[in-house]
Each structure stands twice: as C-alpha cells, then as structure tokens.
Amino acid sequence: MKILIVASEAIPFVKTGGLADVMGTLIREIRNLKVDARLALPLYRGIKDRFDLNDTGHEITVPVGNKNYTAKIFSYKDSVFFIECNEFFDREELYGTSEGDYPDNAHRFIFFSRAVLEACDALGFKPDVLHCNDWQTGLIPLYVKSIYKKSFSKTATVMTIHNLGYQGIFPASAMLLTGLDMELFTPKTIEFYGQINLLKAGITTADFVTTVSTNYAKEILSEQYGFGLDGVLRHRAHDITGIINGIDYKEWNPAEDDLIPAKFDVRDITGKAKCKSYLVKECSFKNRKAPLVGMVGRLSSQKGIDIFMGVIDRIFSYGVNVIILGKGEEAIHKELRGIAKKYPDCLSLNIGYDETFAHRVYAGSDMLLIPSKYEPCGLTQMIAMRYGTVPVARATGGIADTVEDYNHLSGKGTGFLFTEYSSSALEECLKRAICVYTDETKWKKIVINCMRQRFSWEKSAKEYVALYRKLVRKVTG
Ligand code: ADP
C-alpha cells in the first residue's frame, strides 16, 4: 500500500502551527509501521539551504487559468517530495503577513494541488491513498474525481480537517483558475454562497473525511462550530471520524530536553522548580513566588484572546505572573502591547515565534492558559502536561478529549476546565486553579497526574493505517 500525504507545512521543514507538527510526526509514525508513506510539500524559501535535497530531474507543467507554470520536483530521503515554483513559494511567509493573506493564495494552492497530481504522474508514483490536509489541498479529491480521473481511478482520497475556521474561500472567478468544468460550480461540490470554497470541495468529494479529535468530529456538525459547513458535514456524517493527534515524545521530553535549564521527570520533579526560577528571572517578574501562567500560541481570535483581555485586570488582582508567547493578528499585538505597558512587573509579552523559548515556557510555568473559542485538537495542552504544567482551558474540541477536569474530592484530574465562552467563566476557572495551587500537596498530585498522561502517536498512526486499508479495499472493490 502506497500513501501520499499532502500538506502545506510539516516539521522539520517549515512550521506556522500545529498542522506542521502533526504532518511531520504522522509521516514518521506511519513509516515506522512499515507502510510506504510519502509526503508532498511546497518548496518554500530557505528549505533548500537547510536540507540536502535531491533534484529528481523531473519538470512538470501545471496549468492554472490560462497560464502554464513550470515546476521542478525535489526529494528528500525518498520520502518527501517538494514542488518548486519560486513565483509562488519563494516568500518571507507561508500564507501571508500580519497585514493579511497573500492576495494570490487561490493561485498558489490551486497550483500546488494540481502540481502534486502532475508530479505523481511524472515520478511514476501512483498512491493507493492520497491523504489531503486542510483547504490548501482540498481541491485534490475533486481533481481525482474529475480531470485526473483516468490516472487515479484506483486511488482513494482522505480529507482531514485540522481547522474548519480556515476554508480557502475565494471569488467565483477563481473557478477559472482550477480548470474544472463550470458544471461543478454547484452547492453540492465547491460553490459556497456564490464563491468557491476549497475545503468544501475536499469534504464533498473525498472518499472519507477525518478530523483531529473525536469531540471536534461531533462539534463540527453543529451550527456553533460548523463555520457554515455544518449542513455539508452532516450530509457526510457517516463518512467522518475523529482521530486524535499525538505529540512527539522525543521532541517534548523534560528528561532529555537540552533547551530547558534543568531536566526532570515524573519520578523527580525538582528540576521543574529550577526551570520556573530561571523563567521568572528571565522575565524580570517582581514577585518570584507567584503562580506562573503561560500562554503559547497563535494570537488569533480563535485562541480566546478577547475573553482573556476582558478580564486581565482581575487576573492580575490574584497576584499571578503571566507570560505570553505568540504571533498573529496585528490588532491583537497592539492591544497586548498596551496591556503590557500597564503591568511591567507581572506580564511578559513576547510577540514572535520562538521554539526555544516555548520549551522554557512549557517547562517553567505552573499553568498553561488556553481559553480557545474552538480547538480542533490542540497540542499545547498535551505538551504542557508532558512538562507538568497544568492546563487551565476551555473544554472544547480536543481539549475536552485530553484534559480531565480536577475533582477536589477524589484528587483526580489533569487540569481545570470551563465551558461557557466568557471572561467570567475563565476568571472563575483560573481562580479555582489558583486556590488549589496554594495547597502544595494537592498541586503536586495534579502535576504528577499530568506527567503520567500518554498522548503518543503510535495508536493514532495505527488508526490512520486501518482507515487507509479500509478505503483501499473499497476503491479496488
Ligand atoms: P494551532 O495549530 O491552532 O496553531 P496547536 O495547539 O494545534 O495550535 O499547535 C500549536 C503548535 O505551535 C505547538 O507546537 C506550539 O508550541 C507552537 N507554537 C505556537 N505559537 C508559537 C510561538 N509563538 N512560538 C513557538 N511555538 C509556537
């Protein structure tokens, strides 16, 4: 069985968020199961300088609209293919700057989706399963069922939704770029309120749809979480399942992490206190004993920054220190900068993307605050738990699947959860956590509970492989 996973980002090559972690680790884990899985990515700026790529010598011609683009195919260790087209991918960022998305994103990812299929032809690699991820690759299942039907008649397609909030919606005129028959511009396929929707194309035409947690698979069928696609998803409810992401236990391991000032594990957590002292000093917090609350993630409205900002003054009245590490929307950066000026002694604002610092924040914080409006799976709560940092989070999507709310009677639980999306619910939850924090014995028990959790990839990779096998059987009859 040959699998081709297609994505717009993957570690170790390029990363803007959780998708990259998931793609990079999933491919490794599936290959560990002795399945021939390969990955296709755009060749972004800088990858060639950092990795020893092999020029396959193959050149493909990819029509987008009325123009033909030439692309070169590079490979890395025979398991990753890169599509090189500098006009589209030799840029500072992946999808856009803090001012907004690149205006030619429709061009870029229509090109990429088609180029992947052309590349398969050129390389003579006919996958049994094409596993597509998020809107950037949503056209592939539709291409497989239309323009490329002949060459991929025995290929099954899987569409994985990592985040329904991003759908790749473009003006109807972009339909001309796809080269698809205008008859396909219908609500059953790609049309979405007069525009085209690339993720919808994937959802409606893939043989199977997955998302990244069981709970999110249910949530997206509702109007509240469906982003306008809940009707389409309900229609395919029998072909949708949730497979939870894992984290990379080699990368995120406090016992062997060279990026943190002191190592520790579940048998001896003294190193964690040293990590905290280091972090407190690094951030110049005045009160060195205060509970330390970390936040790591994209600064977008999805992450619940608004309900956090709505209660910021009250949060600081509880005498906590807060570290924020994130990058995202310029308006949020601006607002946070204003707040940081007001609280120089207890708020450390770090706008930017910094992997090394992220390790220190996960290791040194007491709690990780995740007030997300929605969270398909969420990796930060799992990473935090690995480092004995207790999630204080909204029970949504994968968070509800991976964090167990603390029960003060039984002492069971791995975090503090709230349900209502509001500043007051967040405040109550954080207050509850701070209250338990003052009891050293109880707190240590939660920390240990967290560190004992296992969110490894092995089980999930096996679930993907089982799904691939089922689909291959279906397609080949
Ligand atoms: P999402 O995919 O919505 O961005 P996830 O929780 O699934 O959120 O994954 C986020 C990943 O990106 C985690 O590995 C987190 O540590 C990392 N990350 C996010 N923002 C930053 C940042 N500013 N600096 C370093 N790492 C970050």
Side-chain angles (χ1 to χ4, degrees), residues 88-225:
F88 290 136
F89 302 120
D90 183 17
R91 300 192 184 175
E92 195 73 35
E93 304 283 344
L94 266 59
Y95 313 121
T97 62
S98 53
E99 263 92 69
D101 291 346
Y102 287 132
D104 60 348
N105 273 350
H107 255 92
R108 298 172 75 219
F109 291 102
I110 289 169
F111 161 83
F112 177 60
S113 297
R114 212 165 163 171
V116 167
L117 299 173
E118 293 287 343
C120 286
D121 260 349
L123 295 166
F125 178 74
K126 220 18 88 61
D128 297 294
V129 179
L130 265 163
H131 181 174
C132 310
N133 295 277
D134 277 352
W135 70 265
Q136 293 87 349
T137 60
L139 266 186
I140 293 176
L142 179 53
Y143 276 142
V144 165
K145 294 221 161 48
S146 55
I147 301 177
Y148 292 87
K149 199 169 163 183
K150 255 200 190 142
S151 4
F152 291 89
S153 61
K154 295 260 182 300
T155 299
T157 51
V158 178
M159 182 77 233
T160 295
I161 303 166
H162 296 263
N163 191 333
L164 197 58
Y166 301 86
Q167 299 179 3
I169 300 172
F170 300 102
S173 56
M175 189 69 188
L176 298 174
L177 300 177
T178 65
L180 291 162
D181 197 320
M182 273 314 275
E183 273 183 16
L184 290 168
F185 187 66
T186 67
K188 267 191 170 164
T189 313
I190 193 171
E191 190 266 350
F192 186 71
Y193 298 103
Q195 298 186 290
I196 68 163
N197 181 326
L198 301 186
L199 182 63
K200 180 178 175 181
I203 293 169
T204 54
T205 57
D207 293 302
F208 207 82
V209 177
T210 73
T211 186
V212 287
S213 69
T214 314
N215 192 34
Y216 194 59
K218 281 188 223 134
E219 284 180 344
I220 55 176
L221 306 182
S222 69
E223 206 182 321
Q224 187 188 353
Y225 291 101

Side-chain angles (χ1 to χ4, degrees), residues 16 21 51 69 110 167 196 206 268 330-331 334 343 379 419:
T16 66
D21 293 303
F51 295 89
Y69 293 86
I110 289 169
Q167 299 179 3
I196 68 163
D268 179 5
E330 199 45 51
K334 209 172 145 202
Y343 296 103
L379 299 176
T419 311

Side-chain angles (χ1 to χ4, degrees), residues 15 17-19 21 163 252 296-298 302-303 325-327 352-355 358 362 375 378-380 383:
K15 166 170 166 176
L19 175 67
D21 293 303
N163 191 333
W252 302 108
V296 180
R298 286 181 298 111
Q302 178 202 333
K303 300 292 176 182
L325 168 62
K327 187 179 160 190
Y353 189 89
D354 187 340
E355 298 253 352
Y362 287 122
E375 199 59 76
L379 299 176
T380 62
I383 301 170

Side-chain angles (χ1 to χ4, degrees), residues 396-412:
T396 180
I399 291 178
D401 285 344
T402 52
V403 180
E404 186 188 346
D405 193 29
Y406 177 68
N407 180 323
H408 73 281
L409 295 174
S410 66
K412 273 181 73 187

Side-chain angles (χ1 to χ4, degrees), residues 11 20-30 247-249 457:
I11 55 159
D21 293 303
V22 172
M23 293 295 97
T25 321
L26 177 65
I27 187 94
R28 192 187 70 203
E29 294 295 320
I30 291 179
I247 54 167
D248 185 344
Y249 274 73
W457 260 109

